[in-house]
Amino acid sequence: MSIRKIFEEELADLKTQLVEMCRLTEQMISDAITALVNRDRELGKSIGIMDKRVDEYEMAIEKKCMRILLKQQPVAKDFREVSTALKMITDIERFGDQAADIGDLVYTMPGDAYIKKLTHITAMGNLAVKMVRESVSSFINNDEALADEVIALDDQMDDMFLAVKTDLIELIKKDGRNGDQAIELMMVAKYLERIGDHAVNVAEWTKYNETGVHQKF
Amino acid sequence: MNEFIGRMDITAKGCNLYYGDFHALKDINIEIPEKQVTALIGPSGCGKSTFLKIFNRMNDLVEGCRIEGEYRIGGVDIFDKETDVNVLRKNVGMVFQKPNPFPMSIYDNIAFAPRTFGITKKSELDEIVEQSLRRASIWDEVKDRLRKNALGMSGGQQQRLCIARSLAASPKVLLMDEPTSALDPISTGKIEELMEELKKDLTIVIVTHNMQQATRIADKTAFFLLGELVEYGNTDDIFTSPRDERTERYITGRFG
């Protein structure tokens, strides 16, 4: 097999692992929201276990990228793809961390009735899953337009976060006893909002991969 | 007579070169900045060495070689009637792939050019020899055996000796044609460090097949293909985001 062919196979393998890692984090975010809505403490706890697998993926992909850099010394688009993957896994790993944090909250939260409907938080969860999937897809498919869409979606995420925050402040003002749960829901919303930010980072790296210019949005 | 004083940038305008019927260089236009390292890259036979050799008129003696275009170093037209080819070559040194020391002592290798220019005083020659060897980072290795035959040195030392020999003529430009391709990584590293040091005073143009070497040492990179200059720009840009698909395919090893 030619050296070039070996390199292309290593790159393809790297991308497959990235997609698997990403799918895992999507499942974790989705499970975190389900656990929250259904008060499913066990499901919440299980997300932490999945997070260990995400960490393993991060280590494996990082090792693979470094091996490619060492052995192939890639340049141009090859170099951008490997360095993009190397940067991207840090953000993907954070997707997993945030989902695991929500899972932990669900596990430790007292079983009182919710002080508010979870409509916005559920919507934020769905949007987070969409942003995560599309940010990584944009890299895998060299789709700069999709990366732009992910970056644009973050405004919706921020708006919803603001709406949840405003609601929760009102609820605390109305009755101080709402405070404990309000803070926990606020944290859930913040974790989801952070997932959006990390998805934007991934999308920015996709744009770097396509254009050679790394720009912050 | 034209003199080379002051700046030492290199320009080629409308460069066409023919070996008989073979059109080896096609319409090349380039401005090479002074006191920087510029790498010429491209597959074998693309014309990069031919292009390099124009600048100290090494092609003059090649039978059937015809050169069109305008070539200037520091603004001086190198093919002008008023330009003495010996003066040009004093100002434009050249180092080749295979080290080619003269079969004489280390000292005499370095003193060769200054003697040709009429310097005979021993103290003056001693000074030039020491300075040249120091600038080529080889003085400490050879200072105790200056009278030994240069052919007894290692390949890496011979190559640095050849660089020192070029420097003894006080050139403004150094042309290097794959200067490290026959050397081990340690000698290669020494020559790369040397280029970094020398570019403070000299304009360096290097032909290299080693892409990593180009990324390490060159400020500018020019990619040649089939006698054409396909792309020329900052090395960082060429190796991270080349504009031309052909450059991308060549440097990533996807050609053919």
Side-chain angles (χ1 to χ4, degrees), chain A residues 4 73 75-78 80, chain B residues 212 239-240 248 252 254:
Chain A
R4 178 72 214 171
Q73 303 183 339
V75 291
K77 184 70 188 284
D78 297 341
R80 300 204 301 275
Chain B
Q212 265 58 47
F239 284 98
T240 52
E248 171 98 30
T252 56
R254 268 183 284 207

